[in-house]
Amino acid sequence: MTSIPKPAGARSLLAVVLAAGKGTRMRSDLPKVLHPIAGRPMLAHVLAAVAEAGAGRLAVVVEPGRDDVARVVADVPGAETYPQEERLGTAHAVLAARRALAQGADDVVVAFGDTPLISPETYARLRAPLAEGAAVAVLAFEAENPAGYGRVLVEDGRVTAIREEKDASEAERRVTLCNAGLMALSGPLALGLLERIGNANAAGEYYLPDAVALAVADGHRVAVVPVAEAEAQGVNDRVQLSTAEASVQAALRRRAMLAGATLIAPETVFLSHDTALGRDVVVEPHVVFGPGVVVGDGCTVHAFSHLEQARLAAGAQIGPYARLRPGAVLEPGARIGNFVEVKNAAIRAGAKVNHLSYVGDAEVGAGANLGAGTITCNYDGVNKHRTVIGAGAFVGSNSALVAPVTVGEGAFVGSGSVITDDVPPGSLAIGRGRQVVKTAWAKPTKR
């Protein structure tokens, strides 16, 4: 008796992600799958996409001893690593996760850690035919130049096999429908198909695509799911990495602008995967957003600024040439000007730090003003110390505040001062040498 397939939304999904490749063409000590795109590793993009597509469990096949890869996997709920001791082909790699496959799932999707552009929607489309009774679904694209790709062979509208180019006949090599590599398999059938794949081919490897011919021989239906060639592209070298970065950046910029942000020269703005821009935000040219940045409604980010792990509340302004480092928090209406660096510091509502300053490990109170060249001296060579500047305080230009130190509410610090002791509220502090003027003094001349 044939069972009625479950609706896609009710089906369990195991994603097997292959991430053990050495990536020698990257010419890098960093594993290929850890090279970042839009501020996070390629592998993290893939894991996020399959999880969003419904994967409750993720089996990530990795090179043994790669703790750096394992740490990325550990950040994803439901993900486990499985070491691949030998490299004998893609089917052999999937079987490194045999224990996960044996636990069972309605659907199994095989993904690759170096194909970061596949969207959650595409993963969902790939598994959809399984809910309609297909045993295998393959992702395929029409290639402008099919050289080097495996060909998807179709007869009378039915998939019969996927042929690697090395093993293809001349007629098969003229086929332009190419295998993108990703595959979905019926969970109850997956392990049996994978274990029957042999290595009788030119490379002597166990090819995952051979599951198609086995499924067809067993009388099962195999579906082809189309995808754009650009989305299916993998990353094998630095050139392809830059192409993938450009594609992701274009999508992030478009999303930001459609959500209500103005990017004056979008092609010059670089966003992180998690950059959050509010409505009516204006971003001028040549701005870089690192990970963890949230920009509230109505903010302006002037040209040539760099932000990372920083938060701007509504109406804040920074730049041009500003740098916000991790822990920088700007409250509504705060202003950070040109050549100002802020790190682990809160700039309260309406406060201004407009020129040539460093503010680190500090709190700048509401409405306070720091003159040009003001710095907080937060590091004594061993430990970091905190500076607190009260609401409405005024710090004159070219002053150094040696932490730990507090400048009280409404206090004034004279220009050029070095402040080493607390300044009470409403007080004036001057910490500089007294000016001496010598009259009737003639400049010496050379002899």
Side-chain angles (χ1 to χ4, degrees):
M1 180 177 177
T2 303
S3 61
I4 299 174
K6 299 178 186 177
R11 297 170 65 88
S12 60
L13 173 61
L14 165 67
V16 179
V17 181
L18 306 186
K22 289 186 176 294
T24 54
R25 281 185 281 173
M26 296 295 286
R27 302 289 193 271
S28 176
D29 294 330
L30 186 70
K32 177 171 66 169
V33 296
L34 296 191
H35 280 263
I37 294 174
R40 70 174 169 181
M42 280 193 285
L43 176 58
H45 283 274
V46 176
L47 297 178
V50 293
E52 189 174 337
R57 292 189 295 128
L58 296 88
V60 186
V61 179
V62 301
E63 181 182 357
R66 292 301 329 197
D67 292 341
D68 46 3
V69 177
R71 284 192 293 271
V72 173
V73 177
D75 288 337
V76 180
E80 292 184 290
T81 56
Y82 293 82
Q84 182 185 3
E85 302 292 344
E86 298 180 276
R87 289 173 178 78
L88 302 176
T90 48
H92 180 265
V94 176
L95 283 173
R98 185 189 304 269
R99 180 165 54 84
L101 290 162
Q103 291 173 15
D106 293 317
D107 303 338
V108 175
V109 165
V110 179
F112 294 82
D114 59 1
T115 54
L117 304 182
I118 302 293
S119 70
E121 293 76 16
T122 296
Y123 283 114
R125 287 195 301 110
L126 179 61
R127 64 180 293 217
L130 304 181
E132 300 168 356
V136 178
V138 297
L139 200 65
F141 59 92
E142 286 289 342
E144 190 172 321
N145 177 11
Y149 293 110
R151 309 305 202 277
V152 179
L153 307 181
V154 180
E155 291 182 11
D156 299 325
R158 298 175 65 87
V159 178
T160 58
I162 297 177
R163 194 84 71 228
E164 294 300 317
E165 187 171 62
K166 298 175 188 175
D167 304 304
S169 67
E170 286 301 317
E172 290 169 342
R173 290 183 183 185
R174 288 194 291 272
V175 172
T176 57
L177 184 63
C178 293
N179 177 30
L182 286 77
M183 181 180 291
L185 303 99
S186 168
L189 301 175
L191 193 54
L193 288 171
L194 291 165
E195 289 177 333
R196 290 162 53 200
I197 292 174
N199 65 342
N201 51 61
E205 293 189 351
Y206 299 87
Y207 288 142
L208 176 64
D210 288 351
V212 169
L214 290 171
V216 171
D218 290 344
H220 297 300
R221 183 168 68 88
V222 176
V224 174
V225 176
V227 67
E229 183 174 1
E231 184 180 347
Q233 293 306 296
V235 174
N236 293 302
D237 55 36
R238 308 278 184 147
V239 176
Q240 292 175 342
L241 181 68
S242 70
T243 300
E245 180 76 45
S247 178
V248 172
Q249 288 298 330
L252 291 172
R253 293 164 188 152
R254 176 177 173 80
R255 185 176 71 185
M257 290 186 286
L258 291 176
T262 294
L263 309 185
I264 292 175
E267 69 280 2
T268 71
V269 174
F270 288 84
L271 302 166
S272 184
H273 68 99
D274 59 354
T275 302
L277 303 180
R279 294 181 59 169
D280 297 317
V281 167
V282 175
V283 181
E284 292 184 354
H286 302 289
V287 172
V288 175
F289 293 91
V293 176
V294 177
V295 181
D297 295 346
C299 292
T300 299
V301 181
H302 292 289
F304 294 99
S305 294
H306 187 284
L307 305 83
E308 181 179 1
Q309 295 181 28
R311 302 180 69 89
L312 282 67
Q317 295 187 43
I318 71 163
Y321 296 97
R323 185 182 182 196
L324 300 188
R325 292 171 57 193
V329 176
L330 275 61
E331 291 190 351
R335 295 181 61 178
I336 297 297
N338 51 284
F339 301 102
V340 173
E341 180 178 344
V342 179
K343 186 270 297 184
N344 191 30
I347 313 299
R348 302 301 184 194
K352 299 177 182 179
V353 188
N354 277 332
H355 323 277
L356 304 162
S357 293
Y358 170 70
V359 181
D361 298 293
E363 178 178 341
V364 179
N369 187 93
L370 273 61
T374 296
I375 63 171
T376 59
C377 306
N378 57 329
Y379 185 51
D380 64 7
V382 178
N383 298 306
K384 299 290 182 70
H385 301 282
R386 191 161 182 80
T387 298
V388 177
I389 300 167
F394 184 96
V395 179
S397 299
N398 200 35
S399 293
L401 309 178
V402 182
V405 72
T406 296
V407 177
E409 292 187 13
F412 275 67
V413 173
S415 297
S417 293
V418 177
I419 301 299
T420 58
D421 297 317
D422 291 349
V423 181
S427 302
L428 169 64
I430 302 173
R432 61 179 182 239
R434 183 178 296 276
Q435 180 173 324
V436 176
V437 177
K438 296 182 181 292
T439 59
W441 180 79
K443 183 178 181 180
T445 57
K446 291 184 179 179
R447 295 181 179 178

